[in-house]
Amino acid sequence: MKHSASYKYYLRPGYGSEKLLIEFISGVEEETFMLDLFDALKHIKAELVDLNDLWMNDEVLYSMRSALGEFTLFKDIWNLAFIMADHNQDCISKINELLVADKRFEKIEVNFDDYKTIKS
């Protein structure tokens, strides 16, 4: 019996962009999401540098530093979460590799062409 991953995500380009990001599409609402994510990223020594609580938008931006450089983790109250690093795409690729290797996370393949235009 295959164990179902707790968290599912896409590795995809931003809308209208060539830059890749990681979009978590399920499991973000779980109390353990942040702990499990940071545990999965322990090999790159991810640490919190700054936290911006954008209370008017119900969003939190976590500025992160790692052995691979800086990235941003975005999370909101609607159970959306993204990891972005427009100027550090190697970091996104390595984070993807770490998530693929972690049984708690499941990568869902997407068609990159779906993201070529900006959604309105």
Side-chain angles (χ1 to χ4, degrees):
M1 182 173 143
K2 184 179 182 246
H3 182 265
S4 179
S6 298
Y7 314 105
K8 294 180 180 12
Y9 73 96
Y10 299 144
L11 173 67
R12 66 167 184 85
Y15 289 107
S17 173
E18 306 255 328
K19 305 288 185 184
L20 295 177
L21 56 84
I22 293 171
E23 175 184 3
F24 294 94
I25 58 169
S26 75
V28 177
E29 70 282 358
E30 300 295 329
E31 288 182 22
T32 55
F33 173 73
M34 295 296 281
L35 289 173
D36 288 343
L37 178 61
F38 287 128
D39 185 56
L41 302 181
K42 68 183 175 230
H43 297 295
I44 61 168
K45 299 177 175 65
E47 62 181 33
L48 180 65
V49 175
D50 193 19
L51 175 85
N52 290 310
D53 187 354
L54 308 173
W55 61 271
M56 290 178 63
N57 296 337
D58 297 319
E59 303 165 344
V60 179
L61 284 176
Y62 301 84
S63 296
M64 305 294 299
R65 181 182 305 129
S66 76
L68 300 173
E70 297 179 359
F71 64 93
T72 302
L73 171 62
F74 162 91
K75 189 173 180 296
D76 69 21
I77 64 165
W78 297 281
N79 301 319
L80 295 174
F82 297 88
I83 294 176
M84 300 164 286
D86 283 355
H87 302 293
N88 190 358
Q89 289 287 281
D90 289 341
C91 186
I92 294 293
S93 295
K94 181 61 178 175
I95 290 171
N96 175 58
E97 290 173 19
L98 292 171
L99 295 177
V100 166
D102 191 306
K103 68 180 187 281
R104 295 170 289 190
F105 294 87
E106 180 183 351
K107 179 181 176 183
I108 307 297
E109 296 297 330
V110 298
N111 181 348
F112 281 19
D113 289 341
D114 293 345
Y115 299 93
K116 283 190 175 179
T117 57
I118 298 173
K119 283 190 172 179
S120 53

